[in-house]
Amino acid sequence: MTAETHVFERPPEGAAEDWSIPQDWDAYTTEDHETWDILFKRQVQQLPGRASQAFLDGIDVLNLSKPGIPDFIELSERLMDATGWKVIAVPGLVPDDVFFDHLANRRFVAGNFIRRREQLDYLQEPDVFHDVFGHVPMLANPVFADYMAAYGRGGLRALKYDSLDHLARLYWYTVEFGLIEEADGLRIYGSGIVSSHGESVFSLDDPSPNRIGFDMKRVMQTNYRIDDFQQVYFVIPSYEELLRVTVETDFAPLYKELETSCDYAPDDIAEGDRVITRGTQAYARERAAASPA
Ligand code: HBI
Ligand code: FE
């Protein structure tokens, strides 16, 4: 199976009204399973001491060390026991309202295809490795599981306020690229980082990006880049705090405020930021010099 890159208006042929499709686990080839195993092995080797304890616990609870691409039915049984979530297959990116509705109802949507061997390090569309290895272990954590469902409910409301761009930044800088401050130091929990061989080292060790204490409004004011390593990571103190702030924030007045507040570039430092590490931004400068516009 290989990637299909489209956002359809209507569910494609063979998909249900909610855009779900059968995972079709039996259709994976030996090569598909080997691709998963290569990616899995590479990531678990470098994640101890880097990934959040919640993520590492999730790998165990869900028995993800079993070789091959996980069967979503078996995975969902374990996840359901842990936090009441399940994993369903979709053909690729689904429309925002469909995505949020699934999250609000504790269904995580995952691509069923896996990247080709020549795309081990980079692909645009989230595949089963990013979606399952990157996202699902955190969903076995009860607090994070509640946060994701709260995000889904918030998304459905944001659609009505036309404020999706701001809310999407919250998802980006937490679920996809979040760091957490644990007793032994900074750790990764964002799926885009834990599933990336390069960024799981870069995000913690590289001197170039800024690492800034999480603040809801500040995050929602910050642009992000989708084509390269991040130049800023926002650091939460705990999952409890992330959930609390998300549930307690009154988003309607916040969206109103955001209409007239400035946006920050990824490498900006703003007044009031709790700067954990100030980046040299050397990486961004080198990349700019290497590819003149
Ligand atoms: N669809 N399959 C899939 N996966 C996503 O992460 C996703 C999506 N559709 C919309 C969407 N994300 C965005 O709306 C959110 O990231 C805000
Ligand atoms: Fe993702």
Side-chain angles (χ1 to χ4, degrees), residues 90 92-96 99-100 109-111 126 131 135 151 164 168 171 176:
V90 289
L93 286 178
V94 302
D96 293 327
F99 182 67
F100 295 138
V109 298
D131 280 335
H135 286 276
Y151 182 88
L164 208 59
Y171 193 87
E176 293 287 347

Side-chain angles (χ1 to χ4, degrees), residues 99-174:
F99 182 67
F100 295 138
D101 188 65
H102 281 304
L103 294 185
N105 291 289
R106 296 187 170 248
R107 293 183 297 264
F108 188 75
V109 298
N112 65 341
F113 60 89
I114 191 147
R115 65 196 73 181
R116 291 194 307 271
R117 210 51 79 77
E118 57 288 5
Q119 304 171 295
L120 281 191
D121 289 308
Y122 180 76
L123 81 170
Q124 251 172 344
E125 181 108 352
D127 72 341
V128 66
F129 187 74
H130 168 81
D131 280 335
V132 171
F133 181 85
H135 286 276
V136 177
M138 288 304 299
L139 290 172
N141 177 279
V143 181
F144 198 82
D146 285 354
Y147 169 67
M148 285 286 276
Y151 182 88
R153 295 192 298 274
L156 292 172
R157 272 180 270 123
L159 289 172
K160 296 182 192 129
Y161 292 109
D162 207 19
S163 288
L164 208 59
D165 293 352
H166 290 122
L167 191 73
R169 292 171 179 173
L170 173 63
Y171 193 87
W172 189 264
Y173 283 119
T174 60

Side-chain angles (χ1 to χ4, degrees), residues 161-163 166 217 220 250-261:
Y161 292 109
D162 207 19
S163 288
H166 290 122
K217 184 176 177 201
M220 288 192 167
D250 192 352
F251 285 95
L254 179 57
Y255 292 145
K256 193 93 200 133
E257 260 181 72
L258 286 163
E259 280 174 22
T260 54
S261 7

Side-chain angles (χ1 to χ4, degrees), residues 199-220:
E199 199 154 359
S200 49
V201 173
F202 176 90
S203 63
L204 292 176
D205 296 357
D206 203 273
S208 59
N210 294 321
R211 298 176 186 86
I212 296 174
F214 177 86
D215 176 88
M216 181 67 81
K217 184 176 177 201
R218 167 66 162 92
V219 164
M220 288 192 167

Side-chain angles (χ1 to χ4, degrees), residues 34-279:
E34 280 171 8
T35 301
W36 171 281
D37 291 343
I38 291 167
L39 290 164
F40 184 88
K41 190 166 163 220
R42 214 168 66 150
Q43 285 316 96
V44 291
Q45 273 172 356
Q46 65 180 9
L47 289 179
R50 296 183 178 279
S52 167
Q53 193 56 48
F55 180 87
L56 299 172
D57 290 347
I59 298 269
D60 284 344
V61 168
L62 300 173
N63 197 26
L64 283 175
S65 303
K66 180 176 164 181
I69 299 169
D71 181 333
F72 290 0
I73 294 171
E74 194 184 315
L75 182 62
S76 294
E77 277 170 17
R78 289 175 183 270
L79 189 57
M80 185 63 78
D81 285 346
T83 58
W85 275 74
K86 64 179 184 170
V87 178
I88 60 171
V90 289
L93 286 178
V94 302
D96 293 327
D97 58 329
V98 176
F99 182 67
F100 295 138
D101 188 65
H102 281 304
L103 294 185
N105 291 289
R106 296 187 170 248
R107 293 183 297 264
F108 188 75
V109 298
N112 65 341
F113 60 89
I114 191 147
R115 65 196 73 181
R116 291 194 307 271
R117 210 51 79 77
E118 57 288 5
Q119 304 171 295
L120 281 191
D121 289 308
Y122 180 76
L123 81 170
Q124 251 172 344
E125 181 108 352
D127 72 341
V128 66
F129 187 74
H130 168 81
D131 280 335
V132 171
F133 181 85
H135 286 276
V136 177
M138 288 304 299
L139 290 172
N141 177 279
V143 181
F144 198 82
D146 285 354
Y147 169 67
M148 285 286 276
Y151 182 88
R153 295 192 298 274
L156 292 172
R157 272 180 270 123
L159 289 172
K160 296 182 192 129
Y161 292 109
D162 207 19
S163 288
L164 208 59
D165 293 352
H166 290 122
L167 191 73
R169 292 171 179 173
L170 173 63
Y171 193 87
W172 189 264
Y173 283 119
T174 60
V175 177
E176 293 287 347
F177 291 97
L179 297 181
I180 182 167
E181 209 157 17
E182 293 189 345
D184 295 332
L186 293 189
R187 293 290 184 271
I188 303 159
Y189 71 91
S191 59
I193 313 178
V194 287
S195 65
S196 160
H197 191 59
E199 199 154 359
S200 49
V201 173
F202 176 90
S203 63
L204 292 176
D205 296 357
D206 203 273
S208 59
N210 294 321
R211 298 176 186 86
I212 296 174
F214 177 86
D215 176 88
M216 181 67 81
K217 184 176 177 201
R218 167 66 162 92
V219 164
M220 288 192 167
Q221 284 176 279
T222 310
N223 282 306
Y224 58 83
R225 43 188 314 170
I226 59 165
D227 60 339
D228 211 336
F229 294 162
Q230 303 304 302
Q231 289 165 47
V232 60
Y233 298 95
F234 288 96
V235 181
I236 58 168
S238 65
Y239 301 116
E240 285 79 5
E241 183 61 12
L242 177 62
L243 173 63
R244 188 191 65 75
V245 172
T246 303
V247 171
E248 289 179 6
T249 297
D250 192 352
F251 285 95
L254 179 57
Y255 292 145
K256 193 93 200 133
E257 260 181 72
L258 286 163
E259 280 174 22
T260 54
S261 7
C262 66
D263 269 3
Y264 294 109
D267 59 351
D268 284 343
I269 295 206
E271 222 182 285
D273 279 350
R274 187 169 73 87
V275 179
I276 295 164
T277 59
R278 181 183 289 266

